[in-house]
Amino acid sequence: MLNSIVDLLAAIPSVIYGLWGGLVLVPSIFPFWNWVSKTFGWIPLFAGPAANPPRTVATVSLVLAIMILPIITSISRDIFAQTPKLQQEAALGLGATKWEMIRLAVLPFGKSGVISACMLGLGRALGETMAVLMILSPGLSYSFHLLKASQSQTIAANIAAQYPEANSLGVSVLIGTGLVLFLITFLVNLLARRITRKAGA
C-alpha cells in the first residue's frame, strides 16, 4: 500500500504541486515561517520579518522538496530491493541483527544508487518551472533572505514567464539564460557521476 502511494506521488505532475502550494500551503504556512523567523532569525537566511502571504523562496523550496522526495524514495526502494539475498542471509547467519544487516549489507550495496536518486531529484528541482511560477511573484530581484518577500525567480520559470512578451533582444537573453541552465545541469550531472563512482568504488 505504501509503495503504491509513493509511486503515485512520484507520478503527479509538477503543476499539481504548484496548485497545491499556491492554494493550500501558502495560506496556511505563515505561522510556521513566522516562528522560524523569530527562533532562527539570527541566521541570515532566516532573517525576518516573514512575508505574509508567504510567497517566498522558502515556501517554494518546501514544495520542491515535497515534490522530489517521492522520486528519490521510489528509486532508492527499488535499488535496496536488488540487494542480493545471499548477502543479507550471510549477515544474519553471522549473528547480525536486522538493523546491522541493513547497515552492513543493504546500505553499502545501494549507496551509489541512492546518490544517483538524489541527484536525479535535484535535477528535476533545478529545471522546475510551473510549481515555482505559481507560487513566486515573477521578477529579477534576488535575495538570500528566504522568508522575506522578493520578486525572485528560477531560470526555467523566468524563461517561461518572459518568453511570450520578449522582443528579439529579450529572446536572445532568454536563450542565453537557458544555456546557463544547461551548463548548471551538466555540471551537476558531472558531479553526480563522480560521486557515484567514488561511492561505488
Side-chain angles (χ1 to χ4, degrees), residues 3 14 31 52 97 101 109-110 129 190 197:
N3 293 339
S14 59
N52 189 18
T97 63
M101 179 270 293
F109 177 82
T129 303
L190 183 63
R197 287 177 182 174

Coordinates of all heavy atoms in Angstrom, one line a residue, residues 3 14 31 52 97 101 109-110 129 190 197:
N3 N 4.0 1.5 -0.9 CA 4.7 1.6 -2.1 C 3.9 2.2 -3.3 O 4.4 3.0 -4.1 CB 5.2 0.2 -2.6 CG 6.2 -0.4 -1.6 OD1 6.9 0.3 -0.9 ND2 6.4 -1.7 -1.6
S14 N 4.1 18.3 -11.9 CA 4.5 19.4 -11.1 C 3.5 20.5 -11.0 O 3.5 21.3 -10.0 CB 5.8 20.0 -11.7 OG 5.7 20.4 -13.0
P31 N 2.2 31.0 9.9 CA 2.6 30.9 11.3 C 3.9 30.1 11.5 O 4.7 30.5 12.4 CB 1.4 30.1 12.0 CG 0.2 30.5 11.1 CD 0.8 30.5 9.7
N52 N 3.9 37.9 4.6 CA 2.5 37.4 4.6 C 1.7 38.1 3.5 O 1.5 39.3 3.6 CB 1.9 37.7 6.0 CG 0.6 37.0 6.2 OD1 0.3 36.1 5.5 ND2 -0.2 37.4 7.2
T97 N 22.0 -8.5 13.7 CA 20.6 -8.2 13.9 C 20.1 -7.6 12.5 O 20.8 -7.4 11.6 CB 20.4 -7.1 15.0 OG1 21.0 -5.9 14.6 CG2 20.9 -7.6 16.3
M101 N 22.3 -5.9 9.7 CA 22.3 -6.5 8.3 C 22.0 -5.3 7.3 O 22.7 -5.3 6.3 CB 21.2 -7.5 8.2 CG 21.1 -8.2 6.8 SD 19.9 -7.3 5.8 CE 18.4 -7.6 6.6
F109 N 25.5 -1.7 -0.5 CA 25.1 -2.1 -1.9 C 24.4 -1.0 -2.6 O 24.6 -0.8 -3.8 CB 24.3 -3.3 -1.8 CG 23.8 -3.8 -3.2 CD1 24.6 -4.6 -4.0 CD2 22.5 -3.4 -3.6 CE1 24.2 -5.0 -5.2 CE2 22.1 -3.9 -4.9 CZ 22.9 -4.6 -5.7
G110 N 23.5 -0.2 -1.9 CA 22.7 0.8 -2.6 C 23.2 2.2 -2.5 O 22.5 3.1 -2.9
T129 N 9.6 24.5 -13.4 CA 9.1 25.8 -14.0 C 7.7 26.1 -13.3 O 7.6 27.1 -12.7 CB 8.9 25.7 -15.5 OG1 10.2 25.3 -16.1 CG2 8.4 27.0 -16.1
L190 N 27.7 15.9 -14.0 CA 29.1 15.5 -14.0 C 29.5 15.2 -12.5 O 30.2 14.2 -12.3 CB 30.0 16.6 -14.6 CG 31.5 16.3 -14.7 CD1 31.7 15.1 -15.6 CD2 32.2 17.5 -15.2
R197 N 30.7 7.2 -8.8 CA 31.9 6.3 -9.0 C 32.7 6.1 -7.7 O 33.1 5.0 -7.4 CB 32.8 6.9 -10.1 CG 32.2 6.8 -11.5 CD 33.1 7.5 -12.5 NE 32.6 7.4 -13.8 CZ 33.1 8.0 -14.9 NH1 34.2 8.8 -14.7 NH2 32.6 7.9 -16.1

